[in-house]
């Protein structure tokens, strides 16, 4: 069993706890690349980036509210 096979299971468990977890989505993306599953990798990276943009926008709004 490869390292990525074990890691995918752990990433899936992490996503059960935090469905949009950027770290788990990114890790899964890299494992999909390792397995040459490029469409799945793209999907995971896209989800991670989408969530990261939302988080950044939310953080930016918090900064503006403080001023």
């Amino acid at each position: 069993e490869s390292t990525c096979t074990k890691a995918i299971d752990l990433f899936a468990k992490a996503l059960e706890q935090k469905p949009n977890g950027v770290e788990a989505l990114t890790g899964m993306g890299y494992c999909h690349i390792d397995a040459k599953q490029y469409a799945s990798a793209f999907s995971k990276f896209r989800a991670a980036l989408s969530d990261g943009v939302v988080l950044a926008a939310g953080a930016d709004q918090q900064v503006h509210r403080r001023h």
Side-chain angles (χ1 to χ4, degrees), residues 4-22:
C4 265
T5 302
K6 294 174 187 174
I8 290 262
D9 291 338
L10 294 174
F11 291 136
K13 288 179 183 177
L15 289 170
E16 288 175 10
Q17 299 297 313
K18 187 177 177 184
N20 294 321
V22 174

Side-chain angles (χ1 to χ4, degrees), residues 3 10-11 14 16-17 23 28 38 46 54 61 63 65:
T3 303
L10 294 174
F11 291 136
E16 288 175 10
Q17 299 297 313
E23 296 87 355
M28 286 184 98
Y38 302 113
R46 185 174 181 185
V54 170
Q61 290 174 0
V63 170
R65 286 185 193 146

Side-chain angles (χ1 to χ4, degrees), residues 21-45:
V22 174
E23 296 87 355
L25 288 167
T26 303
M28 286 184 98
Y30 283 115
C31 284
H32 287 301
I33 286 175
D34 190 56
K36 297 182 179 13
Q37 299 170 343
Y38 302 113
S40 295
F42 177 80
S43 174
K44 297 301 181 193
F45 289 136

